[in-house]
Amino acid sequence: MENFERRLENYAELAIKKGVNIQPNQPLFINAPITSAAFVRLLAKKAYDAGAKNVHVDWADEELSRIKYEKAPDEAFKEFPSWIAKGREELAENGAAFITVKSTDPDLLKGIDQGRIANANKTAGEAMDTFRSYIQSDMVSWLVIATPSTGWAKKVFPDASEEEAEKNLWDEIFKAVRADQENPVEKWDEHNKKLQEKAAFLNEKAFKQLHYKAPGTDLTIDLPDGHIWAGGGSVNKDGVHFIANMPTEEVFTVPHKTGVNGYVRNTKPLNYSGNVIDDFTIHFKDGKITEFEAKEGEETLKNLIDTDEGSHYLGEVALVPHSSPISQSGTLFYNTLFDENASNHLAIGSAYAFCIKNGTEMSKEEKEANGLNTSITHVDFMVGSGVMDIDGRLSNGETEPLMKNGEWVI
């Protein structure tokens, strides 16, 4: 127990000091499931110790979510309280930091009418569009982390008892975020430096196109002029460094909205809206998804793609070596926060404005004119493996290998 408490303390300290990097008199907003209450209290203590002015918590409950989908009238999923959206916007405009704690059971909404889920996602996405733009332009410090829940833990470790499954998942989370190591803050500084070096190399090269080759995948992705590779953290509008995801093993940028052609096959299941999508292939022409098929969760995938016009295009391209610690753990998390850091991945939907020169100052129309996709959704899906090759094409037409058999060659 003593070892668990030490790692938990490390985790909370990393979230506050390296994740959102709380500043004196700064508000903090935490969105979390009630199953993570003990950890959220620890986060609050660490935040106040670091000088936070106020810690606001919005609790979620999976059982209540399921009950609503089963019992509420259809109209309930076409409404979203404006005060929730306005409240987030106001907090962001006042310089708050934001932490989201994930614990979702991957099968939470299995069997629920997909139309209800699609309507709820679209309505919430439209209402939260302004707040999402604040997040995706790095106006504020934000962080996504995770804690186990019984449903999630049993999905990852189906042969273990509930207690043992949760313990095992805690162990894997601690490893993934380096909370099990001595001096974890220093370990993160070292890790961030390596990611930033990779991003700096890619920015210097300024590749015009990436070409992905693997079983079931043959895809070219054009990169817009002025694109910026990022990794190892970001900087908010006040110049404060923060890390948006813990764990993170990626370097990423934006694809050109209309420059994606070919087809790509997923390599890990995608957990989306309480359902699992797996064994799927997506085809692109001039950036747009033209067809797709999935052996599991095809209707869920269809609803994701049909969220809005922008969800028919890509908004992110991210590179992760197959030898990343999360990949080497051999654990399938059924949680994108972890699985995307074990694999090269792409994202359906909106692009991060900070991944193109002057992007954070652009209007929606200017972003589109410069090749950035806009959407009310952003959903990562995993495509990397130990047999994937990626080449980069330079402006002079020459190509250079970036990854061979899933590993960096740069």
Side-chain angles (χ1 to χ4, degrees):
M1 181 58 70
E2 181 180 342
N3 186 43
F4 175 82
E5 296 299 334
R6 177 184 60 80
R7 291 180 295 167
L8 197 68
E9 287 271 347
N10 285 346
Y11 191 17
E13 188 164 326
L14 283 170
I16 298 302
K17 290 187 176 181
K18 299 304 296 182
V20 289
N21 191 7
I22 282 292
Q23 302 296 296
N25 295 314
Q26 185 180 24
L28 172 64
F29 182 89
I30 303 175
N31 177 259
I34 57 175
T35 52
S36 65
F39 181 63
V40 171
R41 295 183 193 115
L42 184 56
L43 285 176
K45 289 177 183 177
K46 296 288 185 182
Y48 284 124
D49 288 344
K53 181 179 181 180
N54 253 316
V55 178
H56 307 280
V57 181
D58 182 31
W59 297 106
D61 177 55
E62 287 193 343
E63 291 186 35
L64 279 177
S65 296
R66 176 88 192 191
I67 290 169
K68 179 177 180 178
Y69 277 107
E70 290 176 337
K71 301 290 186 181
D74 289 341
E75 301 80 52
F77 304 100
K78 299 178 182 179
E79 298 176 357
F80 189 90
S82 60
W83 57 268
I84 292 179
K86 294 298 182 185
R88 304 283 177 91
E89 293 167 21
E90 182 179 322
L91 280 165
E93 289 159 4
N94 289 329
F98 296 82
I99 295 178
T100 297
V101 182
K102 297 281 191 179
S103 266
T104 308
D105 178 351
D107 296 320
L108 174 66
L109 300 182
K110 191 173 184 177
I112 293 294
D113 184 333
Q114 290 294 310
R116 290 183 157 219
I117 298 173
N119 284 336
N121 288 337
K122 185 172 184 177
T123 303
E126 291 171 345
M128 299 292 281
D129 194 37
T130 298
F131 176 69
R132 185 184 307 103
S133 72
Y134 292 162
I135 293 292
Q136 294 190 335
S137 65
D138 279 351
M139 185 178 100
V140 296
S141 299
W142 57 282
L143 169 67
V144 182
I145 52 176
T147 59
S149 65
T150 301
W152 178 25
K154 284 292 290 179
K155 182 73 173 181
V156 179
F157 299 104
D159 297 330
S161 66
E162 290 184 356
E163 182 179 355
E164 191 66 23
E166 289 195 43
K167 177 186 177 299
N168 291 344
L169 188 50
W170 267 121
D171 288 343
E172 292 299 325
I173 290 173
F174 287 146
K175 289 177 189 174
V177 300
R178 296 172 171 79
D180 62 332
Q181 300 185 28
E182 295 295 328
N183 302 314
V185 170
E186 291 181 13
K187 296 297 184 184
W188 267 95
D189 288 339
E190 295 170 5
H191 176 55
N192 287 341
K193 184 179 179 182
K194 292 177 182 177
L195 291 176
Q196 288 163 359
E197 288 171 353
K198 282 287 189 292
F201 175 88
L202 292 167
N203 284 326
E204 185 178 345
K205 285 290 184 179
F207 289 108
K208 300 295 291 183
Q209 186 185 75
L210 302 180
H211 185 196
Y212 291 64
K213 287 282 289 185
T217 294
D218 189 352
L219 189 73
T220 58
I221 299 177
D222 293 346
L223 304 179
D225 292 339
H227 70 273
I228 298 171
W229 288 91
S234 301
V235 177
N236 70 18
K237 67 177 179 62
D238 296 319
V240 176
H241 188 274
F242 69 96
I243 300 169
N245 288 347
M246 284 186 159
T248 184
E249 303 287 340
E250 65 180 315
V251 291
F252 60 96
T253 192
V254 289
H256 193 290
K257 177 176 180 176
T258 59
V260 183
N261 289 279
Y263 53 92
V264 64
R265 185 177 184 83
N266 78 303
T267 52
K268 292 182 182 293
L270 169 61
N271 173 30
Y272 176 70
S273 290
N275 286 271
V276 173
I277 309 169
D278 198 12
D279 200 2
F280 62 90
T281 299
I282 302 177
H283 300 255
F284 297 85
K285 182 174 175 52
D286 297 330
K288 191 169 187 177
I289 295 173
T290 55
E291 58 180 299
F292 59 90
E293 57 270 354
K295 289 189 177 178
E296 181 178 0
E298 186 169 270
E299 187 177 0
T300 302
L301 179 59
K302 180 181 185 301
N303 288 331
L304 165 59
I305 293 169
D306 287 341
T307 300
D308 63 4
E309 178 61 20
S311 56
H312 291 76
Y313 297 83
L314 296 181
E316 180 186 343
V317 49
L319 303 179
V320 180
H322 186 62
S323 60
S324 82
I326 299 172
S327 176
Q328 292 304 300
S329 75
T331 300
L332 178 60
F333 284 88
Y334 293 95
N335 181 301
T336 303
L337 175 63
F338 294 86
D339 291 334
E340 73 171 6
N341 285 297
S343 169
N344 292 320
H345 54 276
L346 306 169
I348 289 171
S350 59
Y352 289 111
F354 59 83
C355 281
I356 194 168
K357 187 178 180 181
N358 300 323
T360 58
E361 302 162 18
M362 292 179 184
S363 65
K364 181 178 179 180
E365 292 73 23
E366 288 172 330
K367 291 175 187 175
E368 291 276 351
N370 281 275
L372 269 67
N373 188 35
T374 57
S375 173
I376 61 172
T377 194
H378 178 101
V379 178
D380 298 278
F381 64 99
M382 287 61 71
V383 301
S385 69
V387 291
M388 172 169 276
D389 296 340
I390 302 177
D391 292 332
R393 182 173 63 82
L394 296 164
S395 56
N396 63 7
E398 294 181 2
T399 61
E400 294 184 4
L402 287 181
M403 285 188 159
K404 185 74 173 175
N405 293 324
E407 299 300 328
W408 289 113
V409 292
I410 58 174

